[in-house]
Structure formats: structure tokens, C-alpha cells
């Protein structure tokens, strides 16, 4: 395996994501690796993307546009907490998470993916699936999965 020079870190912006990014940063530091934090926003399957949302005094906006703006702001806030980290970029894409991670890894020339896994078992895993498992099985480069820490 070559040394990691471009590391992709997909995050769901939930509890534990910061620890996963921190691990990737420490892993890449000796190699001066570029780190890209990726958040994939998956549109809800039960709502039409052109559904308009409005409030008094607002111009009606498509729900998808508002949700993407909120996701972008959340990602910027998340990355903003990682002060003093050089060579760190962020990216927001829309789509099915595992397919989007694979596509970004391929098109961006990443040579390592570092991502968290919640370690769900049984019915929750059956219902929610495992993004990490699908990425590991189809990734164009090595994938390091880390158990997402939970608050005690």
C-alpha cells in the first residue's frame, strides 16, 4: 500500500463524527496528507423535492434547496470546530450515501477512506443497512472503518 496522500472522510455529522475526522487527521499528518470531509445529504424518499416551503414574509423555496442550505451550514459549522488543521477541505453532495462516497473517492483520486461505523446489529442493521459495508465492498481504495464513539 502506498502512503496516504489524499484521505476522504465521510461523516454523518452525528455524535462521534469529530472523533473520526480527528483520527484521519492524525493518521495523515506524518504524510502531509490532504483530508477532505464529505457529507452526503440523502433526500427523503417520501417527499417530493419540488415541494415548496414558506413562512410569512418568505419567498417560497423548494424543500430540497432549503435542506441543502441547512446541510451546508451544518457541515461548515462542523469543519469550523476543527481549528488549526491545514490541508483540510469539505464537500457536500446529494445522493445515496454509499454510492456518493464511492463516486467522490473515484473522481477525486483518493487513496484512503476513513469512515465510522455504528456497529448496528440485527433489525436496526436490516432496516437501516450499512453504508460502511457497501463502501468497503465497492471502494476503489483501502477503507479504514472505525467504531463511532458514543457519549457515556
Amino acid at each position: 500500500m502506498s502512503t496516504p496522500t489524499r484521505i476522504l472522510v465521510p461523516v454523518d455529522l452525528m455524535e462521534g463524527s469529530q472523533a473520526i475526522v480527528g483520527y484521519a487527521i492524525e493518521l495523515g499528518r506524518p504524510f502531509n496528507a490532504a483530508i477532505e470531509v464529505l457529507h452526503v445529504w440523502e433526500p427523503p424518499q417520501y417527499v417530493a423535492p419540488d415541494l415548496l416551503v414558506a413562512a410569512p414574509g418568505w419567498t417560497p423555496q423548494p424543500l430540497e434547496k432549503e435542506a441543502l442550505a441547512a446541510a451546508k451550514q451544518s457541515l461548515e459549522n462542523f469543519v469550523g470546530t476543527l481549528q488549526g488543521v491545514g490541508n483540510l477541505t469539505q464537500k457536500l453532495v446529494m445522493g445515496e450515501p454509499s454510492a456518493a462516497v464511492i463516486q467522490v473517492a473515484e473522481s477525486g483520486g483518493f487513496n484512503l477512506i476513513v469512515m465510522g461505523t455504528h456497529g448496528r446489529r440485527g433489525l436496526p442493521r436490516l432496516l437501516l443497512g450499512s453504508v460502511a459495508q457497501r463502501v468497503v465492498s465497492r471502494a476503489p481504495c483501502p477503507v479504514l472503518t472505525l467504531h463511532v464513539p458514543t457519549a457515556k
Side-chain angles (χ1 to χ4, degrees):
M1 183 174 111
S2 63
T3 59
T5 57
R6 292 189 42 76
I7 301 173
L8 180 63
V9 187
V11 294
D12 59 8
L13 302 177
M14 308 245 319
E15 182 182 338
S17 292
Q18 196 161 13
I20 302 300
V21 175
Y23 190 93
I25 290 168
E26 291 304 313
L27 180 68
R29 188 168 305 202
F31 309 108
N32 197 28
I35 310 286
E36 184 159 286
V37 177
L38 172 69
H39 179 62
V40 180
W41 181 75
E42 184 173 20
Q45 301 301 316
Y46 51 86
V47 177
D50 55 352
L51 178 71
L52 297 179
V53 292
W58 278 17
T59 304
Q61 297 288 329
L63 177 63
E64 185 173 284
K65 182 178 178 183
E66 289 297 315
L68 278 171
K72 182 176 191 246
Q73 186 62 52
S74 294
L75 179 60
E76 288 174 358
N77 292 344
F78 175 80
V79 171
T81 64
L82 306 167
Q83 297 298 328
V85 178
N87 234 352
L88 181 73
T89 58
Q90 64 191 29
K91 184 174 199 154
L92 172 69
V93 296
M94 183 174 75
E96 190 281 317
S98 62
V101 170
I102 299 294
Q103 193 278 325
V104 169
E106 288 174 345
S107 65
F110 290 92
N111 52 13
L112 179 63
I113 299 171
V114 176
M115 65 186 302
T117 180
H118 294 279
R120 292 185 182 101
R121 301 267 186 248
L123 188 59
R125 181 170 179 200
L126 180 64
L127 295 175
L128 299 172
S130 172
V131 173
Q133 180 185 14
R134 289 189 298 271
V135 170
V136 166
S137 68
R138 297 178 20 225
C141 60
V143 180
L144 173 61
T145 59
L146 304 169
H147 184 24
V148 175
T150 56
K152 304 255 185 226

